[in-house]
Amino acid sequence: MEKYICPCGYVYDPALGDPDNGIAPGTPWADVPADWLCPVCGLGKDAFAAEA
């Protein structure tokens, strides 16, 4: 699964999810809720870019 990176440097890895914020491991980016925020800086999903 593709990883997504925030401008602050945080990487969302679907294999790891974000369990501290309600996103279970194995959750694809498309299934992360639209109102989820970067756990480091608070930016929304729209600020993330697919990691090359």
Side-chain angles (χ1 to χ4, degrees), residues 4 12 18 31:
Y4 289 81
Y12 176 79
D18 182 17
D31 294 343

Side-chain angles (χ1 to χ4, degrees), residues 21 23 31-38 42-46:
N21 293 295
I23 310 299
D31 294 343
V32 173
D35 62 352
W36 177 82
L37 301 174
C38 174
L43 287 176
K45 276 184 72 176
D46 60 339

